[in-house]
Coordinates of all heavy atoms in Angstrom, one line a residue:
N19 N 12.6 32.1 16.9 CA 12.1 31.4 15.7 C 10.7 31.9 15.3 O 9.8 31.5 16.0 CB 12.2 29.9 15.9 CG 12.2 29.2 14.5 OD1 11.7 29.8 13.5 ND2 12.6 27.9 14.5
W30 N 0.1 19.6 5.8 CA 1.5 20.0 6.1 C 1.7 21.4 5.8 O 1.1 21.9 4.8 CB 2.5 19.1 5.4 CG 2.4 17.7 5.6 CD1 3.0 16.9 6.5 CD2 1.5 16.8 4.9 NE1 2.6 15.6 6.4 CE2 1.5 15.5 5.5 CE3 0.6 16.9 3.9 CZ2 0.9 14.3 5.0 CZ3 -0.1 15.8 3.5 CH2 0.1 14.6 4.0
V44 N 3.7 35.5 16.5 CA 2.1 35.5 16.6 C 1.5 35.3 15.3 O 0.5 34.5 15.0 CB 1.6 36.9 17.3 CG1 0.1 36.9 17.2 CG2 2.2 37.0 18.7
E67 N -8.1 26.1 0.1 CA -7.9 27.6 -0.3 C -8.7 28.4 0.7 O -8.2 29.5 1.0 CB -8.5 27.8 -1.7 CG -7.6 27.0 -2.8 CD -8.3 27.1 -4.1 OE1 -9.6 27.2 -4.3 OE2 -7.6 27.0 -5.1
V171 N -4.7 33.5 -3.4 CA -3.9 32.3 -3.1 C -3.6 31.5 -4.4 O -4.4 31.2 -5.2 CB -4.9 31.4 -2.3 CG1 -4.2 30.1 -1.8 CG2 -5.4 32.1 -1.0
R222 N 22.4 26.3 8.4 CA 23.2 26.7 9.6 C 24.7 26.8 9.3 O 25.3 27.8 9.5 CB 23.0 25.9 10.7 CG 21.7 25.9 11.4 CD 21.6 24.9 12.6 NE 22.5 25.0 13.6 CZ 22.5 25.6 14.7 NH1 21.4 26.4 15.0 NH2 23.6 25.8 15.5
T231 N 13.2 26.4 8.3 CA 12.2 25.3 8.5 C 12.1 24.5 7.3 O 11.9 25.0 6.2 CB 10.9 25.9 9.0 OG1 11.1 26.7 10.1 CG2 9.8 24.9 9.2
V233 N 9.9 20.9 5.8 CA 9.0 19.8 5.9 C 9.2 18.8 4.7 O 9.4 19.4 3.6 CB 7.5 20.2 6.0 CG1 6.6 19.0 5.9 CG2 7.3 21.0 7.2
V247 N 16.1 6.7 12.0 CA 17.3 7.5 11.9 C 17.4 8.6 12.9 O 16.7 9.5 12.8 CB 17.4 8.1 10.4 CG1 18.8 8.9 10.4 CG2 17.3 7.1 9.4
L325 N 14.9 58.7 0.9 CA 15.4 59.1 -0.4 C 14.8 60.6 -0.6 O 15.6 61.5 -1.0 CB 15.0 58.3 -1.5 CG 15.9 57.0 -1.7 CD1 15.2 56.1 -2.8 CD2 17.3 57.5 -2.1

Side-chain angles (χ1 to χ4, degrees):
N19 193 344
W30 302 264
V44 173
E67 292 171 336
V171 182
R222 285 174 57 92
T231 299
V233 173
V247 182
L325 278 177

